């Protein structure tokens, strides 16, 4: 009893029992327990605790700048000019950067990046995105009204998934996602209470996507849910495969036949390294297949400022293009994005530059081209380096890293190691990665966080550390793998 | 009360169901043949999204944008420019950003500026400090999902200073993309269940429309409680009790949302009221969600903002140890006005560590909030201090905004007092005036014939005839039979002057027409 005689109930309102159960189901390996341990170790090192290594190398997350990649000068100049407009009087900035900044500021309410923009995004940026898409796709029309700017591609992906989820029990929405997958998808599906319908990429054929496997997964799923959408990540994360044009056509045909909504995550579209590979956008292929498909297949494609050669994760810039979306549904999407007010305006400004970079006749062009080429060249070199190094290690095989930013090698683990892991209640590749972290300070993400065929084990490593550091990492992984294998044989 | 029924009750005929809305889109549908071929996979979409209530105000906003475009194209209208004071966006109303904030952000984005002799030393120092906190020294890197630890520390230190020493821990601070996102984050933790187990969230009427839409989207059961206009829009605990008790029949009330200072009413809660609310929340087992984004804008002399956290702590046990509280702040309002940067925080008080852990894990699957916004947040909670090179300019800029706002508040009240058909409660704090319109019966009748609320008819006509865009009270919620308008006062004195001139002219004409 309190002073005034009111019974103050001690039990808390919000506990793990009373909270939203879907929140508890969410797992995200990329920033999960292994990263928490990595942070702990970093703190221990700072406190002077002795370890067999002097630093933790975070090869777990696709964050290029964190690993030392330099930002594109022009992009940073323009966004700085937008942020502090007095700099427009500063001689140190090139005229083309100033013109871009002025144009963006004029499109902002009150001429400030601090004002709310329209919920769908600044109109002139959406127009620029549409023109970029048209250029990329060989002239196929893009309506700016179908472009939604978002707070990174993840925000757009979650919004579309949210739109899709309905029904209960057998009619509950199922969403087909690749295994291995970028765990945002599985996390979002858990959060939304949707049914995850996994389709396996074929490791033996360079992580190929097989329509027969799609069909198998779909038929099985129809027993217990209502599959409505099919997600494809191209270039792939974590697998790095770049889909062939034929494959994309097959997927589109499948989606059309089976009435599935296509979600094409294309955030790595500039990250293609293998010489015999090329990025084909889903939209382009769809339209080139003719009206029989291009009139009816519903597709959303996603892009972002976080990857490619820019690596500007911290700006949270991105867009989605919705194609053939039912107008009633589009109205719902528009309504939903307005609840979130608007995406961050600096990210919208940055996106505008990505889709509208310096032109040949502009002062900043040559520097821009050099910087872009250097970043992509560096990534290509490291992709090859990593893949080859892993393939030379007995007990590790690695498919060619055709694109994106990661290696996803397969590791063979001795039976004793697997048994010990299971005793500890850990996935065997988590067990491996934890030991690797403790012994070498290298932070990778176990394959179990992305999904894999039963009985196989993998880890995902980014190709982002600077080349000299990457070589050290590869050597250390080799040493570790040999000693681990020996120890548990 | 079901959400659908609630919406028609509160927003009257301004409520547009998803179905009604879609009627307007029929004209966009494809040919018959194409229709047959369209897969329309998504026709069966998420039912909670369909519940999101879009008010007619959205249409008004769109029409305002159209008018702005037409004016740019040279279309002749009775006015040369559109003036939009319908939303709380300071910069779009001509208020300038704080120089220090923008200098630091620019230097962080383009570190070459650190060699620039024109930037003050404290700008450079702050930029260095912040960039050191970013992986790879770049604002282009992801940060920790709950926010940059240094910024979280600066937030918790700010909270402690603000609250006269009441301790705050960075671990309880979550930095998100604005208070709207932070509110939805906390609601997502709380809202679940179906039927009578569905989470009920008590919230004030009137309230700003995006909050109500968020409740809709997340599937929360709405539990509205009326603020008392006659008492200066006071929150009365008896009304809270009535609302929460009544709702217990069809949902499980779990949260109580308060906004102080209030949007739209401008009411600032006294310590006494806050204590009563906390006691009530303890009795009824409710988590308090205290939206305090306007905490820096208290105009009335003799009133001070006091935070829910401080009052909770000073009430002592058992309340201080058991009542769960989420308090929200943001860079969008106050004297920052940086809505477009999308940054805010929530401080979670008395939540179980296990719940916090789940919350962090959940956040980790998304991404961090934009780094530029986190920089702005750091500066908001840790601005230049006396003796710093930028302090003079900073404090002058803040004073200018404060004075502008105070002056605007006074001006609005003076002007409206003199015009028949308006009454306006005192605006103690916040960004807005929310005067009541006393409209002639004929106007109300006309609105009814047109199928809209009378204040929306008023605002629509005001927009078309005078180029002024306000928010109609019907989109914020109000007692049946009353009508209001909301104006944002955080705008230049010139803009407000224009608004009041045109509003007065229009109002007198409108009264005459319908008398």
């Amino acid at each position: 009893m309190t002073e005034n005689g009111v019974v103050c109930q001690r039990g808390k309102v919000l506990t793990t029992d009373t909270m939203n159960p879907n929140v508890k189901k969410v797992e995200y390996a990329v920033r999960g327990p292994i990263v928490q341990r990595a942070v702990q170790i970093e703190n221990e090192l700072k406190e002077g605790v002795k370890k067999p290594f002097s630093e933790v190398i975070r090869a777990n997350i696709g964050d290029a700048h964190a690993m030392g990649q330099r930002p594109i000068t022009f992009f940073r100049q323009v966004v700085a000019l937008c942020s502090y407009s007095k700099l427009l009087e500063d001689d140190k900035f090139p005229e083309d950067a100033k013109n871009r900044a002025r144009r963006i500021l004029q499109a902002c309410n009150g001429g400030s990046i601090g004002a709310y923009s329209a919920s769908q995004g600044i109109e002139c940026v959406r127009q620029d995105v549409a023109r970029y898409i048209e250029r990329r796709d060989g002239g196929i029309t893009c309506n700016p009204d179908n472009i939604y700017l978002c707070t990174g591609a993840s925000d757009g992906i979650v919004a579309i998934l949210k739109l899709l989820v309905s029904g209960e029990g057998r009619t509950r929405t199922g969403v087909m996602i690749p295994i291995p997958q970028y765990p945002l998808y599985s996390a979002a599906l858990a959060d939304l209470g949707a049914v995850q319908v996994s389709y396996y990429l074929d490791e033996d054929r360079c992580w190929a996507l097989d329509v027969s496997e799609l069909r198998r997964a779909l038929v099985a799923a129809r027993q217990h849910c209502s599959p409505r959408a099919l997600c494809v990540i191209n270039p792939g994360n974590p697998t790095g495969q770049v889909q062939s044009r034929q494959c994309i056509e097959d997927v589109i045909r499948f989606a059309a036949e089976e009435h599935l909504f296509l979600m094409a995550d294309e955030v790595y579209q500039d990250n293609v390294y293998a010489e015999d590979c090329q990025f084909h956008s889903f939209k382009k292929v769809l339209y080139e297949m003719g009206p029989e498909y291009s009139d009816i297949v519903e597709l959303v494609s996603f892009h972002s400022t976080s990857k490619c050669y820019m690596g500007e994760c911290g700006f949270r810039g991105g867009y989605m293009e919705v194609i053939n979306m039912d107008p009633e549904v589009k109205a719902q999407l528009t309504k939903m994005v307005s609840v979130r007010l608007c995406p961050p305006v600096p990210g919208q400004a940055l996106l505008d530059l990505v889709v509208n970079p310096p032109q040949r006749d502009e002062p900043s062009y040559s520097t821009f081209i050099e910087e872009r080429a250097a970043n992509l060249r560096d990534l290509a070199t490291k992709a090859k380096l990593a893949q080859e190094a892993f393939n030379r290690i007995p007990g590790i095989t690695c498919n060619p890293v055709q694109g994106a930013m990661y290696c996803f090698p397969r590791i063979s683990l001795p039976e004793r190691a697997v048994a010990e892991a299971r005793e500890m209640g850990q996935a065997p590749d988590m067990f491996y990665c934890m030991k690797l972290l403790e012994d070498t300070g290298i932070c990778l993400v176990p394959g179990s966080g992305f999904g894999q065929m039963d009985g196989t084990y993998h880890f995902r490593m980014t190709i982002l550390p600077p080349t000299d550091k990457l070589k050290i990492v590869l050597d250390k992984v080799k040493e570790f793998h040999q000693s681990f294998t020996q120890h548990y044989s | 009360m079901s959400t659908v029924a609630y919406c028609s009750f509160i927003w009257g005929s301004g409520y547009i169901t998803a179905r009604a809305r879609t009627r307007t889109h029929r004209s966009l549908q494809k040919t018959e043949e194409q229709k047959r071929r369209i897969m329309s996979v998504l026709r069966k979409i998420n039912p909670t999204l369909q519940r999101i209530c879009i008010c007619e105000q959205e249409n008004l906003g769109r029409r305002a944008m159209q008018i702005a475009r037409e004016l740019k194209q040279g279309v002749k209208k009775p006015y040369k420019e559109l003036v939009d004071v319908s939303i709380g966006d300071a910069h779009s109303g001509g208020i300038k950003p704080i120089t220090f904030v923008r200098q630091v952000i620019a230097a962080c984005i383009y570190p070459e500026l650190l060699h620039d002799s024109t930037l003050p030393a404290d700008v450079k120092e702050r930029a260095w400090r912040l960039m050191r906190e970013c992986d790879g020294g770049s604002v282009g890197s992801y940060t920790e999902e709950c926010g940059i630890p240094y910024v979280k520390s600066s937030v918790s230190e700010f909270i402690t200073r603000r609250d006269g020493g009441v301790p705050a821990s960075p671990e309880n601070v979550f930095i998100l993309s604005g208070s709207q996102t932070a509110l939805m984050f906390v609601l997502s933790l709380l809202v679940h269940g179906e039927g009578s187990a569905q989470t009920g969230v008590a919230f004030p009427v009137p309230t700003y429309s995006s909050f109500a839409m968020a409740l809709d989207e997340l599937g929360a059961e709405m539990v509205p409680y009326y603020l008392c206009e006659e008492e200066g829009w006071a929150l009365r605990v008896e009304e809270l009790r009535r609302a929460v008790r009544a709702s217990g029949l069809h949902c499980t009330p779990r949260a109580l949302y308060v906004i102080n200072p209030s949007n739209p009413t401008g009411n600032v809660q006294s310590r006494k009221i806050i204590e009563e609310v906390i006691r009530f929340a303890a009795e009824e087992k409710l988590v308090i969600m205290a939206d305090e984004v306007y905490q820096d804008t208290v105009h009335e002399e003799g009133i001070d903002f006091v935070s829910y956290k401080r009052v909770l702590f000073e009430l002592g046990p058992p309340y201080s140890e058991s009542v769960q509280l989420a308090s929200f702040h943001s860079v969008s309002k106050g004297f920052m006005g940086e809505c477009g940067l999308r940054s805010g925080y929530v401080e979670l008080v008395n939540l179980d560590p296990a719940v916090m852990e789940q919350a962090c894990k959940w956040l980790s699957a998304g991404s961090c909030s934009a780094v530029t916004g986190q920089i702005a947040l750091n500066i908001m909670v840790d601005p230049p201090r006396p003796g710093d090179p930028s302090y003079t300019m900073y404090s002058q800029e803040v004073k200018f905004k404060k004075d502008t706002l105070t002056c605007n508040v006074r001006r609005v009240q003076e002007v409206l007092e003199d015009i028949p058909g308006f009454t306006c409660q005192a605006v103690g704090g916040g960004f807005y005036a929310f005067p009541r319109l006393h409209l002639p019966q004929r106007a109300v009748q006309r609105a009814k014939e047109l199928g809209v609320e009378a204040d929306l008819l008023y605002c629509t006509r005001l927009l078309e005839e005078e180029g002024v865009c306000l928010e109609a009270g019907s989109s914020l919620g109000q007692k049946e039979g009353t009508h209001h308008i909301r104006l944002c006062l955080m705008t230049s004195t010139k803009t407000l002057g224009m608004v009041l001139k045109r509003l007065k002219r229009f109002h007198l004409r409108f009264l005459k027409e319908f008398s």
Side-chain angles (χ1 to χ4, degrees):
Chain A
M1 281 279 192
T2 59
E3 286 171 4
N4 57 5
V6 171
V7 172
C8 187
Q9 303 186 50
R10 291 257 168 200
K12 296 216 176 135
V13 183
L14 183 58
T15 64
T16 47
D17 291 328
T18 62
M19 72 185 288
N20 182 350
N22 286 348
V23 169
K24 291 190 284 189
K25 291 193 211 131
V26 167
E27 299 292 342
Y28 187 67
V30 179
R31 293 198 191 93
I34 198 157
V35 177
Q36 285 159 19
R37 180 62 192 139
V39 170
Q40 253 175 1
I41 292 176
E42 272 171 341
N43 291 335
E44 287 169 18
L45 281 169
K46 264 191 208 141
E47 288 158 18
V49 175
K50 278 245 158 283
K51 297 217 177 268
F53 48 87
S54 57
E55 65 172 324
V56 170
I57 300 178
R58 303 269 209 105
N60 58 297
I61 187 163
D63 185 342
H65 290 202
M67 289 286 112
Q69 181 177 298
R70 315 280 299 142
I72 300 290
T73 304
F74 184 76
F75 294 174
R76 291 301 188 90
Q77 285 174 333
V78 176
V79 186
L81 286 162
C82 290
S83 305
Y84 182 45
S85 51
K86 192 139 185 269
L87 296 172
L88 290 165
E89 301 156 24
D90 190 324
D91 287 338
K92 286 195 274 313
F93 289 88
E95 231 11 76
D96 52 358
K98 292 183 180 179
N99 288 336
R100 293 303 168 81
R102 285 189 198 103
R103 181 167 174 274
I104 291 167
L105 288 174
Q106 250 161 38
C108 294
N109 288 325
S112 167
I113 57 167
Y116 288 118
S117 77
S119 302
Q120 202 172 330
I122 298 171
E123 200 174 333
C124 82
V125 178
R126 291 190 290 111
Q127 286 165 354
D128 290 348
V129 168
R131 282 197 282 269
Y132 159 82
I133 293 172
E134 284 175 353
R135 280 193 312 269
R136 181 197 68 187
D137 294 343
I140 295 164
T141 318
C142 177
N143 182 351
D145 202 42
N146 290 336
I147 304 294
Y148 288 75
L149 303 192
C150 33
T151 307
S154 307
D155 173 46
I157 290 166
V158 172
I160 297 293
L161 287 174
K162 187 150 203 189
L163 210 57
L164 287 170
V165 172
S166 71
E168 303 205 359
R170 276 206 65 175
T171 63
R172 191 71 180 159
T173 301
V175 177
M176 299 184 71
I177 64 173
I179 297 296
Q181 49 106 29
Y182 165 48
L184 167 75
Y185 288 93
S186 50
L189 295 178
D191 188 28
L192 294 168
V195 179
Q196 178 176 324
V197 177
S198 306
Y199 65 87
Y200 289 82
L201 301 175
D202 189 346
E203 185 163 17
D204 295 333
R205 288 170 40 240
C206 203
W207 298 113
L209 194 169
D210 260 328
V211 174
S212 53
E213 166 58 14
L214 285 179
R215 190 160 283 119
R216 177 211 62 77
L218 181 66
V219 165
R222 282 195 171 130
Q223 305 297 314
H224 62 270
C225 72
S226 183
R228 291 205 183 95
L230 167 55
C231 301
V232 182
I233 309 172
N234 181 46
N237 174 5
T239 56
Q241 94 281 21
V242 176
Q243 306 292 0
S244 68
R245 199 211 158 83
Q246 183 61 52
C247 176
I248 296 174
E249 280 189 20
D250 292 344
V251 170
I252 291 171
R253 219 166 265 122
F254 176 76
E257 279 162 21
E258 301 294 344
H259 270 226
L260 295 169
F261 186 90
L262 264 176
M263 294 174 63
D265 181 343
E266 298 175 326
V267 301
Y268 297 100
Q269 55 190 263
D270 292 335
N271 299 112
V272 176
Y273 316 122
E275 273 162 27
D276 52 348
C277 290
Q278 200 188 328
F279 170 74
H280 302 278
S281 80
F282 263 76
K283 181 176 180 201
K284 180 167 194 225
V285 176
L286 174 65
Y287 274 76
E288 288 175 353
M289 286 167 75
E292 186 193 343
Y293 295 98
S294 61
D295 274 352
I296 63 161
V297 172
E298 287 156 83
L299 167 67
V300 179
S301 61
F302 304 92
H303 196 17
S304 142
T305 60
S306 303
K307 312 296 179 189
C308 293
Y309 61 89
M310 309 76 78
E312 297 282 13
C313 315
F315 277 86
R316 314 309 305 122
Y319 74 77
M320 53 185 169
E321 182 188 9
V322 308
I323 294 146
N324 289 329
M325 186 176 262
D326 185 293
E328 293 182 13
V329 175
K330 193 157 176 292
Q332 299 296 334
L333 176 62
T334 305
K335 193 167 67 169
M336 191 166 70
V337 304
S338 72
V339 180
R340 285 149 186 75
L341 306 178
C342 73
V345 178
Q348 297 188 46
L350 183 64
L351 180 68
D352 191 58
L353 304 168
V354 169
V355 299
N356 193 14
Q359 295 303 294
R360 228 169 263 279
D361 54 340
E362 291 183 301
S364 303
Y365 178 74
S366 52
T367 310
F368 166 73
I369 289 294
E370 258 171 51
E371 288 176 346
R372 184 176 74 179
N375 284 350
L376 290 174
R377 207 169 37 232
D378 191 44
L379 289 168
T381 306
K382 292 188 293 194
K384 193 151 181 261
L385 178 73
Q387 164 200 326
E388 286 174 358
F390 282 129
N391 280 315
R392 283 196 295 268
I393 306 174
I396 301 189
T397 53
C398 187
N399 271 322
V401 179
Q402 296 172 339
M405 287 179 174
Y406 317 95
C407 288
F408 196 63
R410 181 164 166 185
I411 49 177
S412 56
L413 299 177
E415 269 313 307
R416 276 187 52 213
V418 173
E420 189 169 319
R422 293 210 199 286
E423 259 168 58
M424 290 178 61
Q426 262 183 352
D429 46 23
M430 170 67 100
F431 178 73
Y432 177 95
C433 288
M434 279 294 205
K435 286 233 176 297
L436 175 70
L437 175 63
E438 300 288 344
D439 286 359
T440 65
I442 298 168
C443 183
L444 308 179
V445 190
S448 44
F450 302 88
Q452 56 206 346
M453 289 286 262
D454 267 339
T456 66
Y457 311 107
H458 302 78
F459 59 72
R460 188 188 79 168
M461 187 188 85
T462 70
I463 56 167
L464 300 173
T467 310
D468 48 351
K469 207 166 257 185
L470 188 64
K471 288 185 179 153
I472 297 174
V473 167
L474 293 165
D475 279 337
K476 284 197 176 184
V477 171
K478 175 176 176 189
E479 261 176 56
F480 170 82
H481 190 82
Q482 281 166 350
S483 70
F484 182 91
T485 308
Q486 236 172 5
H487 178 85
Y488 284 100
S489 296
Chain B
M1 171 187 298
S2 79
T3 307
V4 169
Y6 164 72
C7 281
S8 18
F9 173 66
I10 288 301
W11 284 291
S13 52
Y15 172 56
I16 301 287
T17 61
R19 262 177 236 289
R21 208 155 174 73
T22 61
R23 275 183 226 122
T24 64
H25 290 279
R26 292 276 181 254
S27 55
L28 299 172
Q29 281 191 341
K30 303 187 188 240
T31 64
E32 283 310 304
E33 222 231 295
Q34 283 168 324
K35 259 198 288 180
R36 274 197 300 276
R37 289 158 71 189
I38 279 176
M39 301 193 301
S40 296
V41 172
L42 290 194
R43 277 196 184 268
K44 236 181 159 173
I45 65 161
N46 190 336
T48 59
L49 295 185
Q50 299 199 55
R51 285 163 32 154
I52 302 177
C53 185
I54 290 273
C55 305
E56 280 288 357
Q57 188 69 34
E58 280 276 315
N59 277 341
L60 203 64
R62 259 191 280 274
R63 178 65 188 137
M65 276 175 17
Q66 204 180 3
I67 289 176
R69 264 196 292 268
E70 289 171 9
L71 283 168
K72 244 191 216 160
Q73 290 160 4
V75 174
K76 277 242 162 292
K77 294 208 182 281
Y79 43 84
K80 287 209 180 68
E81 61 186 304
L82 182 78
V83 187
D84 189 345
V85 288
S86 65
I87 58 172
D89 186 341
H91 293 196
S92 77
I95 299 285
K96 299 286 167 224
I98 301 245
T99 303
F100 184 78
V101 172
R102 295 304 189 87
Q103 286 174 327
V104 172
I105 289 177
C108 289
I109 291 175
Y110 190 55
E112 293 282 322
L113 289 169
L114 294 171
H115 308 298
D116 191 316
S117 54
T118 59
L119 284 184
D122 52 354
V123 166
K124 295 181 185 179
E125 202 184 299
R126 185 71 66 103
W128 266 123
R129 186 73 185 82
L130 287 160
M131 283 193 296
R132 257 204 336 258
E133 298 296 323
C134 299
D135 286 341
S138 166
V139 297
S141 295
Y142 289 119
T143 73
E144 289 192 28
E145 50 277 7
C146 305
I148 296 172
Y150 168 69
V151 181
K152 293 197 317 172
S153 294
S154 62
V155 168
S156 67
E157 283 161 25
F158 155 79
I159 293 170
T160 303
R161 274 193 317 271
R162 177 196 69 186
D163 294 343
V166 173
S169 163
E171 274 151 25
N172 294 336
V173 173
F174 291 73
I175 300 177
L176 290 141
S177 303
S179 65
Q180 182 75 353
T181 306
L183 285 163
M184 291 181 79
F185 161 62
V186 174
L187 286 170
S188 299
L189 298 177
L190 283 163
V191 174
H192 61 99
E194 308 215 342
S196 61
Q198 188 182 3
T199 301
V201 178
F203 69 100
V205 177
T207 207
Y208 75 98
S209 50
S210 306
F211 182 74
M213 285 167 69
L215 290 180
D216 258 337
E217 184 184 317
L218 293 169
E221 184 67 17
M222 294 191 178
V223 181
Y225 61 89
Y226 287 84
L227 301 175
C228 182
E229 184 166 12
E230 296 74 41
E231 291 174 22
W233 294 109
L235 189 165
R236 295 170 72 236
V237 175
E238 311 84 80
E239 165 58 14
L240 255 184
R241 186 166 289 118
R242 177 211 62 77
V244 169
R245 295 266 163 95
S247 76
L249 301 170
H250 59 271
C251 71
T252 302
R254 286 199 184 96
L256 166 56
Y257 171 79
V258 292
I259 173 166
N260 179 46
S262 164
N263 170 8
T265 69
N267 173 272
V268 178
Q269 292 177 12
S270 66
R271 176 184 280 268
K272 182 164 174 291
I273 292 288
I274 296 175
E275 285 181 358
E276 283 179 34
V277 171
I278 291 172
R279 283 196 195 95
F280 173 75
E283 267 170 53
E284 299 291 329
K285 290 201 72 168
L286 302 170
V287 173
I288 301 177
M289 296 175 63
D291 186 342
E292 298 173 326
V293 299
Y294 296 100
Q295 58 187 266
D296 295 326
T297 53
V298 174
H299 328 300
E300 214 175 304
E301 299 265 331
I303 301 185
D304 282 323
F305 167 79
V306 61
S307 75
Y308 264 75
K309 164 107 184 279
R310 182 172 187 173
V311 176
L312 175 64
F313 184 84
E314 290 175 352
L315 270 176
Y319 301 105
S320 57
E321 287 161 3
S322 61
V323 173
Q324 294 175 311
L325 168 68
S327 60
F328 302 86
H329 198 8
S330 136
V331 303
S332 301
K333 312 298 176 188
F335 304 114
M336 298 279 290
E338 297 282 9
C339 315
L341 297 187
R342 313 308 304 121
S343 183
Y345 74 78
V346 56
E347 183 194 12
L348 296 176
V349 179
N350 288 332
L351 255 59
D352 284 346
V355 172
M356 304 280 269
E357 206 183 297
Q358 291 292 334
C360 277
K361 185 185 62 149
W362 187 68
L363 274 182
S364 76
S367 288
C368 61
S369 61
V371 181
T372 43
Q374 296 193 50
I375 293 170
L377 184 65
N378 169 255
I379 296 171
M380 182 180 87
V381 299
D382 185 14
R385 299 178 193 203
D388 291 349
S390 300
Y391 178 72
T392 308
M393 180 176 264
Y394 166 79
S395 54
Q396 275 171 1
E397 288 174 341
V398 170
K399 181 169 187 304
F400 177 76
K401 286 167 214 250
K402 229 182 209 144
D403 291 345
T404 302
L405 187 56
T406 312
C407 172
N408 285 347
V409 167
R410 204 172 38 236
R411 187 109 168 271
V412 151
Q413 291 185 299
E414 277 167 10
V415 170
L416 294 185
E417 253 166 41
D418 268 346
I419 310 177
F422 272 118
T423 51
C424 194
Q425 298 298 319
V427 176
F431 266 19
Y432 313 94
F434 193 59
R436 182 160 166 194
L437 295 171
H438 301 272
L439 298 173
Q441 192 45 42
R442 281 187 55 212
V444 177
Q445 188 55 39
R446 182 83 186 105
K448 211 168 170 183
E449 285 161 20
L450 293 170
V452 294
E453 281 295 317
D455 47 26
L456 189 69
L457 170 66
Y458 183 96
C459 288
T460 309
R461 294 273 305 264
L462 176 64
L463 175 62
E464 295 293 341
E465 294 173 26
E466 296 283 352
V468 172
C469 189
L470 306 180
E471 179 128 359
S474 45
S475 60
L476 297 152
Q478 56 203 350
K479 273 213 171 84
E480 185 91 28
T482 66
H483 307 100
H484 299 80
I485 49 174
R486 187 189 76 170
L487 305 83
C488 175
L489 304 178
M490 189 49 143
T491 187
S492 68
T493 47
K494 178 164 172 251
T495 303
L496 187 70
M498 255 195 295
V499 168
L500 291 174
K501 186 163 158 214
R502 298 185 195 183
L503 176 62
K504 181 174 180 177
R505 193 165 58 206
F506 166 80
H507 184 84
L508 296 172
R509 212 167 51 227
F510 190 86
L511 286 186
K512 200 168 173 201
E513 183 184 334
F514 288 102
S515 57

